[in-house]
Amino acid sequence: QELADKLGDKLFSTDGRSMSEVVGALLDQGGFQVAVGESCTGGLLTGRLVDVPGSSRYLSAGMVAYSNEQKRSVLGVEPELLNVNGAVSEEVALAMAEGARRLAGADFGVGVTGVAGPGGGSRAKPVGTVCVGVVGPAAQKVAKTVQLPGDRAMIRSQATQTALNLLRLTLLRE
């Protein structure tokens, strides 16, 4: 209990549940639906949500919009956002989240975009740069940029954990 008190909302499970299970329970308890717009994770985030039995109660949709054209045409990301901020930005992650939420008619949307590598990085946005956005009811918006270590598989896996955690923290405030 002392450790839980010190860690606060950084501790997501004391009973062995995965982050996906914890997030699923929060969504289910609140009666919320979530939709996901993914780029660098390529469906892995949606897959983690689907791994939890009963996820059909709270997972509305998962959309992979890998190219900038698909981010625009499928998720409705404004071309100017992509031109000014680049595809790997908090602004685009939030727009992807909002687009997924709107298309699915969900309460919450999650957007993930980044540079999974091994190529494609730059000095400003090196391999491992991942941006996550969560949008919810009442114009809730929260975004986070992280620099993740490892190879492509590790970066993609950590990106999903980062996205699930940001959604968890947003749900806890709900």
Side-chain angles (χ1 to χ4, degrees):
Q1 183 58 50
E2 184 179 335
L3 186 57
D5 291 342
K6 287 185 191 280
L7 290 174
D9 67 7
K10 290 173 183 60
L11 178 65
F12 70 86
S13 177
T14 58
D15 58 9
R17 290 183 299 160
S18 69
M19 182 72 79
S20 302
E21 291 170 313
V22 169
V23 168
L26 289 169
L27 287 164
D28 203 22
Q29 289 165 9
F32 299 121
Q33 290 277 304
V34 67
V36 178
E38 304 182 63
S39 183
C40 67
T41 50
L44 192 59
L45 177 56
T46 302
R48 285 194 60 190
L49 289 166
V50 168
D51 283 344
V52 179
S55 58
S56 60
R57 290 190 303 271
Y58 52 81
L59 178 60
S60 182
M63 297 157 243
V64 177
Y66 205 68
S67 71
N68 284 352
E69 176 53 37
Q70 292 304 305
K71 287 176 182 72
R72 286 189 295 265
S73 65
V74 174
L75 295 176
V77 176
E78 292 293 328
E80 186 165 327
L81 278 180
L82 291 161
N83 293 336
V84 171
N85 302 295
V88 180
S89 64
E90 291 181 3
E91 293 84 358
V92 168
L94 285 167
M96 291 172 66
E98 182 56 42
R101 184 176 88 91
R102 180 183 35 78
L103 283 170
D107 302 294
F108 287 89
V110 181
V112 184
T113 183
V115 185
S122 67
R123 176 171 270 163
K125 297 175 185 177
V127 170
T129 304
V130 174
C131 301
V132 178
V134 174
V135 297
Q140 291 170 300
K141 290 184 181 186
V142 61
K144 181 175 187 170
T145 300
V146 292
Q147 185 63 49
L148 303 171
D151 63 11
R152 185 176 182 83
M154 185 181 250
I155 290 166
R156 291 177 65 227
S157 177
Q158 292 174 85
T160 65
Q161 189 77 352
T162 300
L164 287 169
N165 191 51
L166 192 60
L167 177 57
R168 177 185 70 89
L169 293 170
T170 303
L171 288 164
L172 288 174
R173 287 188 219 91
E174 180 61 31

